[in-house]
Amino acid sequence: MSDQQQQRVGGPESRGMPMLGLGTWQNDDPDQCAETVATALETGYRHIDTAQAYRNEDAVGEGIERAAVDREDVFLATKVWIDNLGHDDVITTTEDSLDRLGVDYVDLLYVHWPAREYDAEETLGAFEQLRNEGLVERIGVSNFEPEHLDQATEVLGEQPFANQVEMHPLLQQRELQRYTEDNGVELVAYSPLARGQVFEVDELTTIAERHSVSEAQVSLAWLREKGVTAIPKATGEDHVVDNWQSLDLELSDEEVDTIDGIEETDRRVHPDFAPEAWGE
């Protein structure tokens, strides 16, 4: 790791969560996944995101073990799938996740979607139990709309730590941004590169060429300027490093305004079990 990288290991943080992480969705080749996680940690990443549904928790754990980084220095998050959200299933499947990851706790546990077996009181009650037992440090939710967040807050007696949603310049989540800012919820962006569509956005290309960087770096820098944590998926070392280098990019107010002004909406994730009001 270079001296410059060592000076910014983990990158900026928000309430103890590094604002640039590695997403592992679809990184389901065990050897490749473990290698990617180890490479990311050795590059400087300190936030790794996975999920039960990704079927790679064991490989993620192998990558963490392989890297010369202490477990306590890694912010590790996973998610409970929608079939496992009954109280007892939350407990047992989370314990299984910890076993696969090879860790004693996770820094953040998410409800993956407010769908199928999700019941706010039952599901979140189990999350609280896991936190009380020291198996989970923070309770998060994913793909929640404001009404779901309100209900979760009522059940928990506090705001969830974070809400992870699809967010990028083509899906700016303005309503959720306002809600999370007003209510002290961290916003975490999955698919922050719009599954590669950011490379086709003229405004991003113009800014990228001006700074001699990639459109991916522009998108990640924009999210950081908005106070949003990003967890871009990457597999090859070149993409892992390119995303990491977004930490060196500072956008001007005018450039942020240009991206804010993009009116096109392109949601890339819309499963049939998504909330009825799914959208901006």
Side-chain angles (χ1 to χ4, degrees), residues 244-256:
W244 179 252
Q245 290 173 342
S246 69
L247 296 175
D248 293 329
L249 176 60
E250 292 187 13
L251 301 177
S252 68
D253 291 343
E254 181 181 358
E255 289 168 335
V256 172

Side-chain angles (χ1 to χ4, degrees), residues 20 22 36-37 39-41 43 45 233-245:
L20 180 62
L22 175 73
T36 299
V37 170
T39 297
L41 291 172
T43 299
Y45 288 77
K233 169 197 169 185
T235 50
E237 182 178 0
D238 53 345
H239 289 151
V240 169
V241 172
D242 185 72
N243 292 340
W244 179 252
Q245 290 173 342

Side-chain angles (χ1 to χ4, degrees), residues 144-157:
F144 274 41
E145 295 285 276
E147 60 267 29
H148 303 113
L149 290 166
D150 286 340
Q151 183 186 41
T153 299
E154 183 177 351
V155 169
L156 291 170

